[in-house]
Amino acid sequence: MSDTTGPDAAAGRGRAALIEGGVEFDGRDAALLRAVDAAGSVAGAASALGRSRARALSRIETLEGAYGTLVERRRGGEGGGGSRLAGSARELLDRYDRLQAVLAATASVPETVLRGTVEAIDGEIAVVDTAVGALSGLHGGTGDGADTDSDGDGDAVAVGDPVQVRIGADAVTVNDAANAVDPDATSARNRLTGRVSRIDSGETVSTVRVAVEPVDREATGDAAVDVAALITAESVDRLGLAPGDPVSLRWKATATRLVPHAE
Amino acid sequence: MSDTTGPDAAAGRGRAALIEGGVEFDGRDAALLRAVDAAGSVAGAASALGRSRARALSRIETLEGAYGTLVERRRGGEGGGGSRLAGSARELLDRYDRLQAVLAATASVPETVLRGTVEAIDGEIAVVDTAVGALSGLHGGTGDGADTDSDGDGDAVAVGDPVQVRIGADAVTVNDAANAVDPDATSARNRLTGRVSRIDSGETVSTVRVAVEPVDREATGDAAVDVAALITAESVDRLGLAPGDPVSLRWKATATRLVPHAE
DNA sequence: CACCGTTGTATCCATGGCGATACAACGACG
DNA sequence: CGTCGTTGTATCGCCATGGATACAACGGTG
């Protein structure tokens, strides 16, 4: 009962797959490789998973066509032969596991989304004008274009474009407003100040929401913007945070993602 | 045993899909909903995407069976009828976009992976003993874990378990070693000191690798561990970083993920 | 040398997803 | 009241995926 049988009864709210050379590596493939590792043969793995041995073998071959050697197979000999995972297969499984971990994390970590317009672009970093001032963040990754079906998370960000600024709550550090850090001594550039508006306490982790005043309140009439920060409950205690307290938020430009906003 | 497997940037792209009620919502579905939004009708969306209208409609119905109302359809009337996206559809698209953004980010952001064993667990936070000392991080979901991972190798982390500690390079801030920040004034708890070993400069973003000495070098004989930090080139200049410089690394426990290492 | 369990390889067949097509129902508009 | 373009619904066929089966090749072992 190591595994829940059934068609990939994916548990989380999401499912991720690696892609290389047009071949997807998903949870089913990961299970297959793990079963090969456990059984010591493709045949044993197939029967353990209740799937066709011939198909499992051909699946491994197509995977190897895209990802390189994954299973070292040997026929004849002691026990009739057998198969072992290659080192690259373990790395692949590691990559898959990490992807899964990231996926699980995004499902549970809140994030703050601000709208803004691109003010300047300098390489991978763009400066965006938002209601709470200028923020800088990464736009896109090192994009290789030509994705087949998924429409654009294209990196086509240009000056003047409307974008969403997404800030993961786990990237935001909360600082005591009184104890200002010399901004020249750290690599965290984005800074905002505000007052604690709400604290959602978990078991040992709390989500602190900080109301940040818009830069030009009377001009725009915008309400305060809530920025979420995920910090440990211990930190909440240590900083003595309570609603109304003034705090300073800080996070790195590289932890800020910009996504083009359709309209 | 090398401790860090420094995944090169853009090791491979992935594909993500939301899952609910056994129904996957992938890039194709996202494109369909966006086309409906743009065309104002399912028929127009189908023809714009070059796919069958009947299938598009039935696909929307199966999606709605799992995700609730997505498209408000109306037949007859002005223009013969039409369809509009429901608010929940926009939220769904937002969730999907967010997933895509995270996926793209993980593909392009290097990360540091350390092996360790769980030393203590307190709620969502676990303390892990690694070669460079005790680090704390999140395991599994946070707080609102109404549904824990029902999948097999979930987040069942127990004391003594071997785990991988995964630190995204974009979560690590680099501080001038001379200008130490009062640790009581910030919510970033994990700290390490080391010396810059390499700087990979991008256009405006650089990856700084910092060699951290193991706590018990002569006892374990381990080599120094490289921890990656992604910071802007401007920050590199501002801090005057060069190989050999002593620096202080700091990142939040909530930005550290632990994944069970099966082996 | 026969036996064994595995790796290779080929073929058939069931299933599901999707395009293509056709037709009924609908309701505002001219 | 007829027209129009849409939403509903049903049916057919194509094609890819994967299971089922069969058989050859292989190389230690007894």
Side-chain angles (χ1 to χ4, degrees):
Chain A
M1 58 195 67
S2 55
D3 228 343
T4 58
T5 44
D8 186 62
R13 304 189 179 288
R15 168 178 167 275
L18 299 167
I19 289 190
E20 201 139 322
V23 179
E24 276 192 24
F25 182 91
D26 63 357
R28 189 177 168 83
D29 298 316
L32 177 57
L33 289 191
R34 291 203 177 92
V36 169
D37 192 32
S41 73
V42 177
S47 88
L49 293 177
R51 51 189 291 195
S52 162
R53 178 186 67 87
R55 279 299 149 190
L57 204 50
S58 84
R59 177 60 183 168
I60 288 177
E61 280 171 357
T62 61
L63 286 177
E64 287 186 326
Y67 295 90
T69 300
L70 297 176
V71 177
E72 291 164 358
R73 289 162 291 177
R74 178 176 48 91
R75 71 173 165 181
E78 161 185 44
S83 296
R84 279 183 9 193
L85 287 195
S88 55
R90 300 188 189 280
E91 292 171 14
L92 190 61
L93 284 173
D94 267 4
R95 273 174 57 196
Y96 179 77
D97 280 345
R98 275 186 242 132
L99 201 63
Q100 288 294 105
V102 169
L103 207 63
T106 59
S108 59
V109 173
E111 73 178 0
T112 303
V113 179
L114 303 174
R115 286 193 218 292
T117 60
V118 177
E119 202 168 71
I121 296 182
D122 181 15
E124 305 96 338
I125 295 280
V127 178
V128 178
D129 184 43
T130 72
V132 293
L135 303 176
S136 55
L138 288 178
H139 62 93
T142 55
D144 59 344
D147 35 278
T148 52
D149 52 358
S150 74
D151 56 337
D153 48 17
D155 319 309
V157 173
V159 173
D161 280 359
V163 292
Q164 284 185 341
V165 182
R166 297 176 179 257
I167 310 159
D170 56 352
V172 180
T173 59
V174 178
N175 301 280
D176 195 337
N179 191 333
V181 180
D182 178 8
D184 285 344
T186 175
S187 60
R189 189 159 65 164
N190 284 315
R191 287 182 67 185
L192 287 177
T193 58
R195 288 177 180 277
V196 175
S197 68
R198 203 170 83 230
I199 299 180
D200 295 330
S201 295
E203 200 170 347
T204 53
V205 172
S206 300
T207 301
V208 178
R209 290 176 204 278
V210 176
V212 179
E213 292 290 319
V215 281
D216 214 7
R217 186 162 198 178
E218 51 273 4
T220 61
D222 287 337
V225 173
D226 254 16
V227 177
L230 188 69
I231 66 178
T232 63
E234 182 211 335
S235 293
V236 173
D237 286 346
R238 184 155 30 84
L239 297 172
L241 293 185
D245 287 355
V247 292
S248 160
L249 302 177
R250 187 187 314 269
W251 71 96
K252 303 174 60 185
T254 54
T256 309
R257 317 275 164 215
L258 307 180
V259 310
H261 192 49
E263 62 207 71
Chain B
M1 235 16 129
S2 66
D3 292 54
T4 61
T5 62
D8 307 316
R13 288 201 44 175
R15 167 180 167 276
L18 299 167
I19 290 190
E20 201 137 324
V23 180
E24 275 194 24
F25 182 91
D26 63 357
R28 191 179 166 81
D29 298 316
L32 176 57
L33 288 191
R34 290 205 178 90
V36 169
D37 191 32
S41 75
V42 177
S47 86
L49 294 177
R51 52 189 289 195
S52 160
R53 179 187 67 88
R55 279 301 146 191
L57 203 50
S58 85
R59 177 61 183 168
I60 288 177
E61 279 171 358
T62 62
L63 286 177
E64 287 186 328
Y67 295 89
T69 300
L70 296 177
V71 177
E72 291 165 356
R73 290 162 290 177
R74 178 175 47 92
R75 71 172 165 181
E78 162 186 42
S83 296
R84 280 182 9 192
L85 287 194
S88 54
R90 301 187 188 278
E91 292 171 13
L92 190 61
L93 284 173
D94 264 5
R95 274 176 57 196
Y96 179 77
D97 281 345
R98 183 179 157 198
L99 205 62
Q100 285 294 105
V102 169
L103 208 64
T106 59
S108 62
V109 172
E111 66 180 3
T112 302
V113 179
L114 304 174
R115 286 192 220 291
T117 59
V118 177
E119 202 167 73
I121 295 183
D122 181 16
E124 306 95 340
I125 295 278
V127 179
V128 178
D129 184 43
T130 72
V132 294
L135 302 177
S136 55
L138 284 181
H139 64 93
T142 62
D144 57 347
D147 60 336
T148 45
D149 227 349
S150 74
D151 197 311
D153 51 7
D155 316 293
V157 173
V159 173
D161 280 359
V163 292
Q164 284 184 343
V165 182
R166 177 190 158 278
I167 311 159
D170 56 351
V172 180
T173 58
V174 178
N175 301 280
D176 194 338
N179 190 334
V181 179
D182 178 9
D184 285 345
T186 174
S187 60
R189 188 160 65 165
N190 284 316
R191 285 183 68 184
L192 288 177
T193 58
R195 289 180 180 275
V196 175
S197 68
R198 202 169 84 231
I199 299 180
D200 295 330
S201 295
E203 200 170 346
T204 53
V205 173
S206 300
T207 301
V208 177
R209 290 175 202 278
V210 177
V212 179
E213 293 291 318
V215 280
D216 215 6
R217 187 163 198 177
E218 49 274 5
T220 61
D222 286 338
V225 172
D226 255 15
V227 177
L230 187 70
I231 66 178
T232 62
E234 183 211 334
S235 294
V236 173
D237 286 346
R238 185 153 31 84
L239 297 172
L241 294 185
D245 287 354
V247 293
S248 160
L249 301 177
R250 187 190 311 272
W251 72 95
K252 303 174 60 183
T254 53
T256 309
R257 318 275 166 215
L258 307 179
V259 316
H261 192 51
E263 205 143 333

